[in-house]
Amino acid sequence: MKPQYWFRWLSVQGTPRVVLRLQARRGDPFAELVAGPAGYTDPYPLIERLRGEGRIIRTAIAFATFDHELCRSLLRDNRFGVRTQESFRVPKSMTKLAERFPLPPNPVEPPSMLVIDPPEHTAMRKPVASAFTPRAVGRLRDRVESVTEELLDALPSDGSADLIESFAAQVPIAIISEMLGFPDEDRAMFLDWGDRMTPLLDLGIPWRVHRRALRAMEVMNDYLDRHIERLRRDPGEDILSSLVTTGELDDHALKATASLLMGAGFETTVNLIGNGVVQLLAHPDQQERLRAEPELWPNAVEEILRFDSPVQTTARTALTDVDIDGVRIREGDTVVLSLAGANRDPAVFTEPERFDVGRENAKDHLSFSSGVHVCLGASLARMEGVYALRALFGRFPELRLDGPPQRRELFTLHGYHRVPIRLGRRAAMPEPSVV
């Protein structure tokens, strides 16, 4: 491991980690939320405590809001830009140090479209947007259905399995691998890289976790170099082949885009499916309603996204001085936007702590963000989630937990590392419904 990576961790993650841990020991609910373990086991009591402190609050490292209206408006406000970890209250000398040690192309640093603003963001997003239009996603429906059926056929009737490893992760990784032209046999490797690299989205991660992520990043960078070279010689019909052949992006940008699509293409959906199964098993009355009214499955997915948000938070940095709800935000200040808090705002959602697959305004959640950075793959994640969950509960109507689910130790991405299930008897596959 390159020694400069340690200095980078110290400036980007180590300093915020010390601040957060000290604040958490003093009982600061925001620090407890971000630093864990409450932030990844059950963040909602802390979110409600913080909501009671005001619509926008000042914390040790940033401003924060848990208010639906403010989150939605800030996501759409061009006076704010996307943030990197360096945007938080870290001494400028530390941020300058970080800039001296760039990382290989990855999803959490420029030129990844996740962390750049227009016009650069527009230029990066435009070449891939056509692959995620409703029409393009509709063409993937048959493939999603066939992958789902293959995975369900492989599950042992009346046996036990880990839902995440055997099903929830496999549906989205199969689809995004095809979309990027990756061989099927490499899927397990992608899942491992994703598991190692997703902590980089959090703030204040330990050095050992950071080091593990960087090693995966270096291996992935070498893999993408070889894959892009193959596509230049023999392009296919996938998104990455199209980007390679048009020449709109250089190799660095190609790899940043590929790594972002690879991660974003399955992270939200695997958490959506896992969270959905756990919530439906905890609410058998809602399962019964879906059996009686299968047309509610698309709305049920919206309620899962609202109730237990796969992406809990994002942030924006002020590009100029601005007043928000009577609070002065200076240029360069960061505002943490709690999507999970917005999705349980009682001003928008009646009885927000109640899981209701028939909730009329469930789709008003902000789990896919909003504004120019709204999730490109939202329609694909929805379609995968609806079909996978409906097919799973249809094929295994006696499905139940076979032990306590284990949460991933992440704050930003909220899902399960392991969900042990007992499948029960196998039923006939239900007829597909329109998604």
Side-chain angles (χ1 to χ4, degrees):
M1 180 58 59
K2 299 175 181 178
Q4 61 262 37
Y5 285 168
W6 186 87
F7 290 103
R8 183 177 182 85
W9 167 81
L10 182 64
S11 61
V12 175
Q13 297 283 0
T15 301
R17 179 174 173 79
V18 171
V19 173
L20 287 167
R21 288 169 71 88
L22 286 173
Q23 292 299 114
R25 287 173 186 167
R26 294 171 182 166
D28 181 336
F30 181 81
E32 291 180 44
L33 181 69
V34 177
Y40 59 80
T41 52
D42 184 13
Y44 299 106
L46 285 170
I47 286 173
E48 293 313 310
R49 282 177 59 189
L50 290 159
R51 189 193 309 282
E53 295 185 10
R55 296 184 72 205
I56 186 164
I57 62 174
R58 189 180 182 94
T59 79
I61 61 169
F63 290 92
T65 180
F66 303 82
D67 181 272
H68 187 283
E69 181 186 1
L70 286 184
C71 285
R72 186 175 183 275
S73 65
L74 288 174
L75 288 168
R76 294 166 172 247
D77 192 331
N78 60 14
R79 294 173 299 176
F80 288 83
V82 290
R83 60 88 178 154
T84 63
Q85 287 95 333
E86 290 90 338
S87 302
F88 292 97
R89 291 177 189 151
V90 175
K92 287 186 177 180
S93 60
M94 301 299 281
T95 61
K96 292 291 185 184
L97 182 64
E99 291 169 0
R100 292 175 54 192
F101 304 121
L103 301 179
N106 66 83
V108 297
E109 292 194 331
S112 166
M113 69 182 83
L114 188 68
V115 289
I116 57 176
D117 293 312
E120 293 81 10
H121 172 266
T122 308
M124 289 290 289
R125 185 178 174 110
K126 185 178 178 181
V128 300
S130 61
F132 295 95
T133 63
R135 177 176 292 183
V137 169
R139 290 195 293 266
L140 291 169
R141 183 176 291 113
D142 288 346
R143 184 58 182 143
V144 170
E145 292 179 1
S146 64
V147 166
T148 302
E149 291 172 16
E150 291 167 9
L151 292 168
L152 293 177
D153 287 342
L155 292 175
S157 181
D158 206 25
S160 298
D162 173 17
L163 174 86
I164 304 301
E165 180 183 31
S166 301
F167 184 70
Q170 299 301 328
V171 174
I173 197 63
I175 301 305
I176 197 62
S177 292
E178 286 193 18
M179 294 179 73
L180 292 171
F182 295 135
D184 290 348
E185 59 268 23
D186 291 343
R187 292 178 195 168
M189 186 167 57
F190 302 149
L191 289 171
D192 179 63
W193 292 343
D195 182 63
R196 292 169 181 264
M197 290 172 58
T198 47
L200 292 174
L201 292 167
D202 281 0
L203 187 66
I205 64 174
W207 162 243
R208 60 178 177 78
V209 175
H210 192 261
R211 180 179 58 196
R212 187 170 175 256
L214 296 186
R215 284 175 174 163
M217 191 183 295
E218 289 178 333
V219 175
M220 183 187 69
N221 185 60
D222 292 341
Y223 175 93
L224 289 174
D225 277 333
R226 296 190 300 272
H227 184 63
I228 289 169
E229 188 56 37
R230 283 196 299 269
L231 294 182
R232 284 202 172 94
R233 296 193 305 267
D234 185 22
E237 300 297 321
D238 55 274
I239 306 172
L240 200 52
S241 289
S242 175
L243 294 175
V244 167
T245 54
T246 57
E248 294 183 61
L249 305 177
D250 62 25
D251 279 10
H252 191 90
L254 280 171
K255 289 185 285 185
T257 300
S259 62
L260 174 61
L261 293 176
M262 190 178 359
F266 76 88
E267 280 295 344
T268 298
T269 310
V270 66
N271 292 338
L272 162 61
I273 296 171
N275 294 355
V277 168
V278 172
Q279 292 305 327
L280 287 167
L281 291 178
H283 298 87
D285 59 319
Q286 300 300 299
Q287 282 190 62
E288 289 302 319
R289 185 169 182 186
L290 288 167
R291 289 191 182 99
E293 304 174 70
E295 67 276 8
L296 283 178
W297 271 110
N299 199 73
V301 163
E302 303 298 341
E303 177 68 348
I304 293 163
L305 288 162
R306 181 200 73 82
F307 186 81
D308 203 15
S309 313
V311 180
Q312 292 270 299
T313 188
T314 187
R316 293 294 184 266
T317 299
L319 304 178
T320 185
D321 292 355
V322 58
D323 288 320
I324 300 295
D325 200 49
V327 175
R328 186 67 167 173
I329 310 293
R330 300 290 184 183
E331 179 182 352
D333 283 345
T334 293
V335 183
V336 174
L337 309 177
S338 174
L339 305 181
N343 290 347
R344 291 199 179 195
D345 189 339
V348 177
F349 303 101
T350 304
E351 296 181 82
E353 74 288 347
R354 179 170 56 87
F355 181 65
D356 178 8
V357 298
R359 186 181 295 274
E360 291 186 1
N361 69 335
K363 204 170 184 177
D364 289 341
H365 65 78
L366 296 176
S367 293
F368 290 122
S369 191
S370 188
V372 296
H373 283 276
V374 68
C375 178
L376 261 177
S379 57
L380 177 59
R382 286 182 165 109
M383 188 259 284
E384 290 175 334
V386 171
Y387 192 82
L389 288 166
R390 181 178 183 272
L392 175 67
F393 280 94
R395 182 69 72 91
F396 295 101
E398 298 172 353
L399 183 73
R400 64 185 187 276
L401 290 177
D402 196 28
Q406 299 173 11
R407 283 284 188 187
R408 302 172 75 182
E409 296 185 6
L410 299 172
F411 165 63
T412 302
L413 296 175
H414 188 64
Y416 291 94
H417 171 68
R418 186 170 183 271
V419 178
I421 53 171
R422 185 76 182 179
L423 293 156
R425 64 180 175 86
R426 187 191 303 272
M429 179 67 81
E431 288 298 317
S433 60
V434 175
V435 177

